[in-house]
Structures are given as structure tokens and as C-alpha cells.
Amino acid sequence: MGQRRSNQPRTVTEAKIRDLIRERLSEGQTTFPSERDLAVRTGGSRCVIREVLEDLERKNLLSRTANGRMINPGTNRIPVLFVARGRNMIDNPAWARLWLAFLNRTKGTPLAPELQLMRYWPEEIEEDLRELARKQAKYIILTGNRDLEPQIGRWVEDREKVVIFTDEAYLEYGLPVIALDNAKVGELAAEELYRNGFRSPALLTPDFSDHCYPPYQKRIEGFARKCAERNLDFQMERDVFSVFHQKGMLQNYIRQTMKIAEEKRYDSLFLTTDDQLPLVLEVFHDQMRYIPGELGMISLNAQNKAQTGNTRVTAVSSATSEIAAHLAEVVEAHSEGNISQIPNIIISPTIHAGETLCLRKKH
């Protein structure tokens, strides 16, 4: 009986074979089907399948043995290094959520993510930099640049490395950035307060100015710009309450929140991050400024289900899942040669409605 003909394009056949390799690896299997079985599974012609398999052998993704072809796990895995600050865990909740989302996204793919924590003391930093220099991962995802300038420079010189930032603060490097549009976060927060009838907002934010972290400033500027456009009673020099990111931060959050609660003209609040949301809500309730109720609140919230008691806060999405999805997609596409360069992707935020802003404020 002659060889079965197939008009299926080679690219389709190859994609199905690569998918099968991933599937087998995810099941912990390294044996690979015969050409005949592959023709049935993929719908491709035997001659095309043979060409694809020989190409995969040349790339050392498959090897031929006396018992048939075998998958080489090492060469089919794409090491990806995710670098964040911390000692025993990632110290920033936003990056911790991104790491977990990215880890989940890479399941069943060739990507093999590894977490590298950058510690704090000079001797620790030196040790971590030496460890980073030894890493063989081609793809490096950076949540920031602090203490990493020398290593970033070496990575840029090493054409074999691909560095991706997850924060638009680092667009100036000219390296790929996949991140949230922080100015639009502020604009969207102000627009949502306006739409729900609030006219005199305050803004509460961590202050990272001591180590140059611009995204918070972009959120504030976007919020102020939209407030001016909508004629909301908001002045940056008067209505922005900052908490310095240092020792005593929780006490500072309490003090600044109490100032807002005591100023009766404020009818709403934009909290630029949800890191201390339960604490802020508790202070407001202690001061009998109830949310939901007379005071409206909106926050940047990755989970979109920020709760304390039975209160759920309207949130601007931090796009954690979207960033994780884009990271996984572009790294895999680049590693397989489907794209020659990883693009900048700046993600527009969306609103997730909670109970605080569902009812219009009474005038």
C-alpha cells in the first residue's frame, strides 16, 4: 500500500509535532511515536514528518536510538530567569503575584522558569550578582534595576541574552518592556469616581521617591489630569497623602488615613496600590467613615476581590494575568523563531466593579 498523501502545510505538521513533544514532557515521558503513528496523529505526510524529525534531531531536540526516537528533556526546556528583590520570598506583593501567574502560565509549555531573589546587604548583593552571572538562562525577566546595573550592562553586551522588564519605568533602557500603563490607571480611577457622582477625592499612595520609582507618580499625574478635565475638586499639593516606604510604614498609613477621614470634605479616595487596603479600610471604619456608604474608594488591585469584612472595593486591574500571558507567549515565540524581536507591550487597565461605587453618591 503506497504512502498516504497529505496537503497539510509543513508548518501545521511541525506545530503539531512540537505540541506533542510538550505534551509528552508534561506527562514525564521521553519516548516518541513512530513516523507512522505521527502521520495518524498529525494528519501530515510521512515525507514531511521525516523532514521535521530530522530537523529536530539536528537541533538535538530528539535523538534516535535502537528503540526509536527519544525526546531530550534538557534541550527542549527553555530556561527563564525571573529576578526580584527579597530574601526568603519576593518582598513586593505585585511581583509575587506576577511570579505565581507566570509560573502557572508556563505549565505545559517548554518554558522552565526559575526565581532569583536579590537580597539587601552589600555582601549579599555581591554574592547574588556572581550567582546571576553564572546562570545559563537565555531569557531574563526583571521587575526592577536596583543593584543590577552592572549585570544589565553585561547582559546587553551578551547578544545571547534577552532581558525583559515588567515595569514601564524602564523604557529608557531600550530593552523590551511588558507592563501596565500607569498613567491610564490614574485616569481610569478618576473617571470612575466622576461617573459615580464623587466630586472631592483624596489620593493615598506609597512614596518611593527615595529610590526613584516613577510609576506611582504616573498614576498620580494621570489621576490629577483626569480630575482637572472633569472639574473634580482635586489639587495635587493639597490632596495627595504620601506614605514613605521605610520603617514605620504601617503607622504612617494609619496617620495619613486618619487625616483623610477627619477632613469631611473628601467624599472619595484613590488608593494607588492595594498592598495595605485592609488596614486603610479598618481605619476609615474606626473613624465612622464607612465604605461602602458616604465615602467612595477605588484602588489598583491585582486580585479584583479586595475585601475586609463584607466590603469589596472597586478596582482598576493591575493586569497581572495579562502581563504573565504576554511574557510566556513572546518568550516561547522568540525561542522558536516565530518573532525576531520581543516588542514593548503596554497594557491598558480595566475596571472591576465592587460594592463601594455601585450606588451613586447622593448630592
mmCIF file of all heavy atoms in Angstrom, residues 94-95 98 165-169 171 177-186 188 213 215 218-219 272 300-302 316-320 322-323 326 345-350:
data_model
loop_
_atom_site.group_PDB
_atom_site.id
_atom_site.type_symbol
_atom_site.label_atom_id
_atom_site.label_comp_id
_atom_site.label_asym_id
_atom_site.label_seq_id
_atom_site.Cartn_x
_atom_site.Cartn_y
_atom_site.Cartn_z
ATOM 1 N N ALA A 94 3.031 42.809 44.397
ATOM 2 C CA ALA A 94 2.694 42.839 42.969
ATOM 3 C C ALA A 94 3.573 41.877 42.182
ATOM 4 O O ALA A 94 3.101 41.138 41.308
ATOM 5 C CB ALA A 94 2.837 44.258 42.425
ATOM 6 N N TRP A 95 4.891 41.868 42.502
ATOM 7 C CA TRP A 95 5.792 40.980 41.764
ATOM 8 C C TRP A 95 5.611 39.531 42.206
ATOM 9 O O TRP A 95 5.806 38.612 41.398
ATOM 10 C CB TRP A 95 7.244 41.420 41.957
ATOM 11 C CG TRP A 95 7.513 42.820 41.522
ATOM 12 C CD1 TRP A 95 8.294 43.740 42.162
ATOM 13 C CD2 TRP A 95 7.028 43.495 40.345
ATOM 14 N NE1 TRP A 95 8.317 44.925 41.475
ATOM 15 C CE2 TRP A 95 7.545 44.805 40.352
ATOM 16 C CE3 TRP A 95 6.186 43.118 39.296
ATOM 17 C CZ2 TRP A 95 7.256 45.729 39.344
ATOM 18 C CZ3 TRP A 95 5.888 44.037 38.296
ATOM 19 C CH2 TRP A 95 6.427 45.318 38.334
ATOM 20 N N LEU A 98 2.784 38.371 40.171
ATOM 21 C CA LEU A 98 3.194 38.173 38.782
ATOM 22 C C LEU A 98 3.989 36.880 38.632
ATOM 23 O O LEU A 98 3.801 36.129 37.667
ATOM 24 C CB LEU A 98 4.014 39.365 38.290
ATOM 25 C CG LEU A 98 4.498 39.278 36.836
ATOM 26 C CD1 LEU A 98 3.333 39.136 35.870
ATOM 27 C CD2 LEU A 98 5.344 40.491 36.474
ATOM 28 N N PHE A 165 11.816 43.771 30.864
ATOM 29 C CA PHE A 165 11.353 44.447 32.067
ATOM 30 C C PHE A 165 9.827 44.310 32.189
ATOM 31 O O PHE A 165 9.120 44.268 31.173
ATOM 32 C CB PHE A 165 11.708 45.932 32.041
ATOM 33 C CG PHE A 165 13.121 46.233 32.484
ATOM 34 C CD1 PHE A 165 14.086 46.599 31.562
ATOM 35 C CD2 PHE A 165 13.466 46.159 33.819
ATOM 36 C CE1 PHE A 165 15.385 46.884 31.962
ATOM 37 C CE2 PHE A 165 14.765 46.446 34.232
ATOM 38 C CZ PHE A 165 15.722 46.807 33.305
ATOM 39 N N THR A 166 9.343 44.281 33.429
ATOM 40 C CA THR A 166 7.899 44.194 33.666
ATOM 41 C C THR A 166 7.341 45.493 34.232
ATOM 42 O O THR A 166 6.301 45.504 34.873
ATOM 43 C CB THR A 166 7.585 43.043 34.638
ATOM 44 O OG1 THR A 166 8.274 43.282 35.878
ATOM 45 C CG2 THR A 166 8.006 41.710 34.059
ATOM 46 N N ASP A 167 8.049 46.593 33.995
ATOM 47 C CA ASP A 167 7.612 47.885 34.523
ATOM 48 C C ASP A 167 7.987 48.970 33.522
ATOM 49 O O ASP A 167 9.139 49.040 33.081
ATOM 50 C CB ASP A 167 8.296 48.155 35.864
ATOM 51 C CG ASP A 167 7.592 49.240 36.661
ATOM 52 O OD1 ASP A 167 7.238 50.269 36.055
ATOM 53 O OD2 ASP A 167 7.396 49.049 37.869
ATOM 54 N N GLU A 168 7.027 49.808 33.166
ATOM 55 C CA GLU A 168 7.276 50.833 32.152
ATOM 56 C C GLU A 168 8.267 51.889 32.630
ATOM 57 O O GLU A 168 8.730 52.705 31.829
ATOM 58 C CB GLU A 168 5.968 51.505 31.739
ATOM 59 C CG GLU A 168 5.260 52.240 32.870
ATOM 60 C CD GLU A 168 4.095 53.075 32.377
ATOM 61 O OE1 GLU A 168 3.969 53.271 31.163
ATOM 62 O OE2 GLU A 168 3.328 53.547 33.234
ATOM 63 N N ALA A 169 8.639 51.861 33.907
ATOM 64 C CA ALA A 169 9.645 52.801 34.405
ATOM 65 C C ALA A 169 10.978 52.615 33.697
ATOM 66 O O ALA A 169 11.821 53.518 33.715
ATOM 67 C CB ALA A 169 9.833 52.619 35.912
ATOM 68 N N LEU A 171 11.574 51.864 30.374
ATOM 69 C CA LEU A 171 11.562 52.008 28.913
ATOM 70 C C LEU A 171 12.841 52.659 28.399
ATOM 71 O O LEU A 171 13.259 52.422 27.262
ATOM 72 C CB LEU A 171 10.341 52.833 28.478
ATOM 73 C CG LEU A 171 8.994 52.108 28.466
ATOM 74 C CD1 LEU A 171 7.861 53.106 28.365
ATOM 75 C CD2 LEU A 171 8.926 51.104 27.324
ATOM 76 N N VAL A 177 9.791 45.897 27.161
ATOM 77 C CA VAL A 177 9.016 46.147 28.378
ATOM 78 C C VAL A 177 7.603 45.612 28.161
ATOM 79 O O VAL A 177 6.957 45.933 27.160
ATOM 80 C CB VAL A 177 8.958 47.650 28.715
ATOM 81 C CG1 VAL A 177 7.984 47.911 29.854
ATOM 82 C CG2 VAL A 177 10.345 48.174 29.081
ATOM 83 N N ILE A 178 7.140 44.793 29.091
ATOM 84 C CA ILE A 178 5.753 44.315 29.086
ATOM 85 C C ILE A 178 5.172 44.728 30.429
ATOM 86 O O ILE A 178 5.547 44.181 31.474
ATOM 87 C CB ILE A 178 5.677 42.798 28.871
ATOM 88 C CG1 ILE A 178 6.306 42.434 27.524
ATOM 89 C CG2 ILE A 178 4.232 42.319 28.942
ATOM 90 C CD1 ILE A 178 6.355 40.948 27.239
ATOM 91 N N ALA A 179 4.278 45.726 30.420
ATOM 92 C CA ALA A 179 3.883 46.343 31.686
ATOM 93 C C ALA A 179 2.528 47.029 31.561
ATOM 94 O O ALA A 179 1.971 47.179 30.469
ATOM 95 C CB ALA A 179 4.941 47.366 32.110
ATOM 96 N N LEU A 180 2.037 47.459 32.702
ATOM 97 C CA LEU A 180 0.784 48.202 32.799
ATOM 98 C C LEU A 180 1.017 49.677 32.497
ATOM 99 O O LEU A 180 2.049 50.232 32.856
ATOM 100 C CB LEU A 180 0.227 48.052 34.217
ATOM 101 C CG LEU A 180 -1.084 48.763 34.557
ATOM 102 C CD1 LEU A 180 -2.244 48.159 33.785
ATOM 103 C CD2 LEU A 180 -1.358 48.671 36.053
ATOM 104 N N ASP A 181 0.050 50.312 31.846
ATOM 105 C CA ASP A 181 0.094 51.757 31.593
ATOM 106 C C ASP A 181 -0.350 52.481 32.861
ATOM 107 O O ASP A 181 -1.537 52.568 33.165
ATOM 108 C CB ASP A 181 -0.826 52.111 30.420
ATOM 109 C CG ASP A 181 -0.680 53.561 29.980
ATOM 110 O OD1 ASP A 181 -0.452 54.429 30.847
ATOM 111 O OD2 ASP A 181 -0.813 53.829 28.767
ATOM 112 N N ASN A 182 0.617 52.984 33.632
ATOM 113 C CA ASN A 182 0.318 53.557 34.939
ATOM 114 C C ASN A 182 -0.431 54.878 34.868
ATOM 115 O O ASN A 182 -1.257 55.180 35.732
ATOM 116 C CB ASN A 182 1.620 53.730 35.726
ATOM 117 C CG ASN A 182 2.137 52.417 36.261
ATOM 118 O OD1 ASN A 182 1.624 51.888 37.234
ATOM 119 N ND2 ASN A 182 3.152 51.857 35.600
ATOM 120 N N ALA A 183 -0.158 55.688 33.856
ATOM 121 C CA ALA A 183 -0.893 56.950 33.712
ATOM 122 C C ALA A 183 -2.381 56.671 33.498
ATOM 123 O O ALA A 183 -3.246 57.352 34.061
ATOM 124 C CB ALA A 183 -0.330 57.767 32.562
ATOM 125 N N LYS A 184 -2.681 55.641 32.716
ATOM 126 C CA LYS A 184 -4.091 55.305 32.450
ATOM 127 C C LYS A 184 -4.764 54.723 33.683
ATOM 128 O O LYS A 184 -5.991 54.815 33.821
ATOM 129 C CB LYS A 184 -4.181 54.345 31.272
ATOM 130 C CG LYS A 184 -3.925 55.032 29.938
ATOM 131 C CD LYS A 184 -4.201 54.116 28.759
ATOM 132 C CE LYS A 184 -3.971 54.865 27.441
ATOM 133 N NZ LYS A 184 -4.194 53.989 26.260
ATOM 134 N N VAL A 185 -3.986 54.119 34.586
ATOM 135 C CA VAL A 185 -4.555 53.665 35.856
ATOM 136 C C VAL A 185 -5.165 54.858 36.591
ATOM 137 O O VAL A 185 -6.307 54.814 37.045
ATOM 138 C CB VAL A 185 -3.479 52.991 36.735
ATOM 139 C CG1 VAL A 185 -3.987 52.788 38.167
ATOM 140 C CG2 VAL A 185 -3.068 51.651 36.142
ATOM 141 N N GLY A 186 -4.381 55.943 36.713
ATOM 142 C CA GLY A 186 -4.882 57.130 37.393
ATOM 143 C C GLY A 186 -6.060 57.764 36.679
ATOM 144 O O GLY A 186 -7.045 58.166 37.308
ATOM 145 N N LEU A 188 -8.237 56.331 34.716
ATOM 146 C CA LEU A 188 -9.420 55.487 34.823
ATOM 147 C C LEU A 188 -10.039 55.578 36.213
ATOM 148 O O LEU A 188 -11.267 55.572 36.371
ATOM 149 C CB LEU A 188 -9.036 54.041 34.499
ATOM 150 C CG LEU A 188 -10.166 53.040 34.274
ATOM 151 C CD1 LEU A 188 -11.113 53.514 33.178
ATOM 152 C CD2 LEU A 188 -9.603 51.671 33.916
ATOM 153 N N TYR A 213 11.153 55.475 41.838
ATOM 154 C CA TYR A 213 10.202 54.535 41.261
ATOM 155 C C TYR A 213 9.049 55.333 40.654
ATOM 156 O O TYR A 213 8.078 55.649 41.333
ATOM 157 C CB TYR A 213 9.708 53.561 42.327
ATOM 158 C CG TYR A 213 8.818 52.471 41.777
ATOM 159 C CD1 TYR A 213 9.313 51.542 40.876
ATOM 160 C CD2 TYR A 213 7.482 52.378 42.154
ATOM 161 C CE1 TYR A 213 8.509 50.547 40.367
ATOM 162 C CE2 TYR A 213 6.673 51.380 41.645
ATOM 163 C CZ TYR A 213 7.189 50.468 40.758
ATOM 164 O OH TYR A 213 6.382 49.488 40.246
ATOM 165 N N PRO A 215 6.417 54.867 38.512
ATOM 166 C CA PRO A 215 5.028 54.503 38.216
ATOM 167 C C PRO A 215 3.998 55.124 39.137
ATOM 168 O O PRO A 215 2.902 55.485 38.689
ATOM 169 C CB PRO A 215 5.045 52.975 38.333
ATOM 170 C CG PRO A 215 6.415 52.602 37.913
ATOM 171 C CD PRO A 215 7.288 53.675 38.488
ATOM 172 N N LYS A 218 3.297 58.523 37.952
ATOM 173 C CA LYS A 218 2.479 58.490 36.734
ATOM 174 C C LYS A 218 1.006 58.270 37.063
ATOM 175 O O LYS A 218 0.119 58.868 36.448
ATOM 176 C CB LYS A 218 2.979 57.383 35.798
ATOM 177 C CG LYS A 218 4.299 57.711 35.117
ATOM 178 C CD LYS A 218 4.592 56.710 34.018
ATOM 179 C CE LYS A 218 5.828 57.117 33.232
ATOM 180 N NZ LYS A 218 6.067 56.235 32.078
ATOM 181 N N ARG A 219 0.730 57.407 38.044
ATOM 182 C CA ARG A 219 -0.660 57.192 38.460
ATOM 183 C C ARG A 219 -1.253 58.485 39.020
ATOM 184 O O ARG A 219 -2.397 58.833 38.745
ATOM 185 C CB ARG A 219 -0.730 56.082 39.508
ATOM 186 C CG ARG A 219 -0.385 54.714 38.959
ATOM 187 C CD ARG A 219 -0.260 53.665 40.066
ATOM 188 N NE ARG A 219 0.598 52.563 39.615
ATOM 189 C CZ ARG A 219 1.061 51.608 40.377
ATOM 190 N NH1 ARG A 219 0.753 51.603 41.669
ATOM 191 N NH2 ARG A 219 1.825 50.654 39.885
ATOM 192 N N THR A 272 -3.513 54.154 45.456
ATOM 193 C CA THR A 272 -2.759 53.790 44.253
ATOM 194 C C THR A 272 -2.246 52.356 44.249
ATOM 195 O O THR A 272 -1.767 51.874 43.231
ATOM 196 C CB THR A 272 -1.550 54.732 44.056
ATOM 197 O OG1 THR A 272 -0.647 54.579 45.158
ATOM 198 C CG2 THR A 272 -1.997 56.176 43.929
ATOM 199 N N LEU A 300 -5.928 50.315 42.929
ATOM 200 C CA LEU A 300 -5.279 49.412 41.983
ATOM 201 C C LEU A 300 -5.179 48.069 42.693
ATOM 202 O O LEU A 300 -4.550 47.962 43.737
ATOM 203 C CB LEU A 300 -3.882 49.908 41.611
ATOM 204 C CG LEU A 300 -3.108 48.979 40.671
ATOM 205 C CD1 LEU A 300 -3.748 48.964 39.294
ATOM 206 C CD2 LEU A 300 -1.654 49.394 40.560
ATOM 207 N N ASN A 301 -5.791 47.050 42.121
ATOM 208 C CA ASN A 301 -5.944 45.793 42.836
ATOM 209 C C ASN A 301 -5.792 44.614 41.893
ATOM 210 O O ASN A 301 -6.623 44.393 41.029
ATOM 211 C CB ASN A 301 -7.334 45.767 43.501
ATOM 212 C CG ASN A 301 -7.676 44.393 44.016
ATOM 213 O OD1 ASN A 301 -6.814 43.677 44.472
ATOM 214 N ND2 ASN A 301 -8.939 44.042 43.927
ATOM 215 N N ALA A 302 -4.727 43.858 42.061
ATOM 216 C CA ALA A 302 -4.461 42.745 41.163
ATOM 217 C C ALA A 302 -5.492 41.636 41.283
ATOM 218 O O ALA A 302 -5.791 40.951 40.319
ATOM 219 C CB ALA A 302 -3.070 42.180 41.422
ATOM 220 N N VAL A 316 -9.145 49.124 39.793
ATOM 221 C CA VAL A 316 -8.523 49.193 38.484
ATOM 222 C C VAL A 316 -7.608 47.982 38.379
ATOM 223 O O VAL A 316 -6.783 47.754 39.260
ATOM 224 C CB VAL A 316 -7.696 50.490 38.320
ATOM 225 C CG1 VAL A 316 -7.057 50.533 36.942
ATOM 226 C CG2 VAL A 316 -8.573 51.719 38.535
ATOM 227 N N SER A 317 -7.765 47.189 37.342
ATOM 228 C CA SER A 317 -6.966 45.979 37.209
ATOM 229 C C SER A 317 -5.491 46.322 37.061
ATOM 230 O O SER A 317 -5.119 47.218 36.309
ATOM 231 C CB SER A 317 -7.409 45.179 35.988
ATOM 232 O OG SER A 317 -6.494 44.138 35.726
ATOM 233 N N SER A 318 -4.641 45.557 37.758
ATOM 234 C CA SER A 318 -3.203 45.738 37.583
ATOM 235 C C SER A 318 -2.659 44.889 36.442
ATOM 236 O O SER A 318 -1.470 44.887 36.178
ATOM 237 C CB SER A 318 -2.451 45.376 38.866
ATOM 238 O OG SER A 318 -2.490 43.977 39.055
ATOM 239 N N ALA A 319 -3.539 44.134 35.776
ATOM 240 C CA ALA A 319 -3.201 43.378 34.564
ATOM 241 C C ALA A 319 -2.160 42.294 34.800
ATOM 242 O O ALA A 319 -1.421 41.930 33.893
ATOM 243 C CB ALA A 319 -2.740 44.335 33.455
ATOM 244 N N THR A 320 -2.112 41.764 36.030
ATOM 245 C CA THR A 320 -1.118 40.731 36.338
ATOM 246 C C THR A 320 -1.225 39.546 35.385
ATOM 247 O O THR A 320 -0.217 39.084 34.837
ATOM 248 C CB THR A 320 -1.291 40.243 37.791
ATOM 249 O OG1 THR A 320 -1.118 41.351 38.672
ATOM 250 C CG2 THR A 320 -0.276 39.168 38.136
ATOM 251 N N GLU A 322 -2.583 39.367 32.440
ATOM 252 C CA GLU A 322 -2.262 39.739 31.054
ATOM 253 C C GLU A 322 -0.750 39.846 30.849
ATOM 254 O O GLU A 322 -0.225 39.398 29.829
ATOM 255 C CB GLU A 322 -2.928 41.071 30.685
ATOM 256 C CG GLU A 322 -4.443 41.030 30.653
ATOM 257 C CD GLU A 322 -5.064 41.517 31.943
ATOM 258 O OE1 GLU A 322 -4.504 41.220 33.028
ATOM 259 O OE2 GLU A 322 -6.108 42.174 31.892
ATOM 260 N N ILE A 323 -0.061 40.445 31.809
ATOM 261 C CA ILE A 323 1.396 40.560 31.699
ATOM 262 C C ILE A 323 2.029 39.170 31.679
ATOM 263 O O ILE A 323 2.903 38.878 30.856
ATOM 264 C CB ILE A 323 1.968 41.403 32.859
ATOM 265 C CG1 ILE A 323 1.467 42.849 32.770
ATOM 266 C CG2 ILE A 323 3.498 41.380 32.836
ATOM 267 C CD1 ILE A 323 1.820 43.702 33.975
ATOM 268 N N HIS A 326 1.432 37.524 28.279
ATOM 269 C CA HIS A 326 2.287 38.096 27.233
ATOM 270 C C HIS A 326 3.735 37.635 27.396
ATOM 271 O O HIS A 326 4.408 37.321 26.408
ATOM 272 C CB HIS A 326 2.217 39.619 27.258
ATOM 273 C CG HIS A 326 0.975 40.185 26.642
ATOM 274 N ND1 HIS A 326 0.637 39.978 25.321
ATOM 275 C CD2 HIS A 326 -0.001 40.962 27.169
ATOM 276 C CE1 HIS A 326 -0.500 40.594 25.060
ATOM 277 N NE2 HIS A 326 -0.911 41.191 26.162
ATOM 278 N N ILE A 345 5.054 45.936 25.124
ATOM 279 C CA ILE A 345 3.603 45.768 25.242
ATOM 280 C C ILE A 345 3.163 46.524 26.489
ATOM 281 O O ILE A 345 3.467 46.108 27.611
ATOM 282 C CB ILE A 345 3.209 44.284 25.340
ATOM 283 C CG1 ILE A 345 3.715 43.502 24.112
ATOM 284 C CG2 ILE A 345 1.694 44.146 25.480
ATOM 285 C CD1 ILE A 345 3.497 42.007 24.205
ATOM 286 N N ILE A 346 2.483 47.641 26.294
ATOM 287 C CA ILE A 346 1.978 48.446 27.413
ATOM 288 C C ILE A 346 0.469 48.218 27.490
ATOM 289 O O ILE A 346 -0.272 48.555 26.570
ATOM 290 C CB ILE A 346 2.308 49.938 27.232
ATOM 291 C CG1 ILE A 346 3.810 50.125 26.996
ATOM 292 C CG2 ILE A 346 1.861 50.725 28.453
ATOM 293 C CD1 ILE A 346 4.694 49.607 28.117
ATOM 294 N N ILE A 347 0.017 47.654 28.587
ATOM 295 C CA ILE A 347 -1.351 47.156 28.723
ATOM 296 C C ILE A 347 -2.255 48.218 29.336
ATOM 297 O O ILE A 347 -1.938 48.812 30.366
ATOM 298 C CB ILE A 347 -1.357 45.882 29.579
ATOM 299 C CG1 ILE A 347 -0.498 44.803 28.902
ATOM 300 C CG2 ILE A 347 -2.770 45.376 29.808
ATOM 301 C CD1 ILE A 347 -0.164 43.646 29.799
ATOM 302 N N SER A 348 -3.401 48.445 28.704
ATOM 303 C CA SER A 348 -4.384 49.383 29.237
ATOM 304 C C SER A 348 -5.189 48.716 30.348
ATOM 305 O O SER A 348 -5.631 47.570 30.200
ATOM 306 C CB SER A 348 -5.336 49.850 28.132
ATOM 307 O OG SER A 348 -4.641 50.639 27.196
ATOM 308 N N PRO A 349 -5.398 49.405 31.472
ATOM 309 C CA PRO A 349 -6.142 48.811 32.589
ATOM 310 C C PRO A 349 -7.639 48.797 32.322
ATOM 311 O O PRO A 349 -8.141 49.477 31.416
ATOM 312 C CB PRO A 349 -5.810 49.745 33.755
ATOM 313 C CG PRO A 349 -5.574 51.074 33.093
ATOM 314 C CD PRO A 349 -4.928 50.767 31.773
ATOM 315 N N THR A 350 -8.349 48.031 33.125
ATOM 316 C CA THR A 350 -9.812 47.960 33.048
ATOM 317 C C THR A 350 -10.382 48.112 34.457
ATOM 318 O O THR A 350 -9.663 48.022 35.447
ATOM 319 C CB THR A 350 -10.267 46.630 32.442
ATOM 320 O OG1 THR A 350 -9.694 45.559 33.211
ATOM 321 C CG2 THR A 350 -9.827 46.500 30.995
#
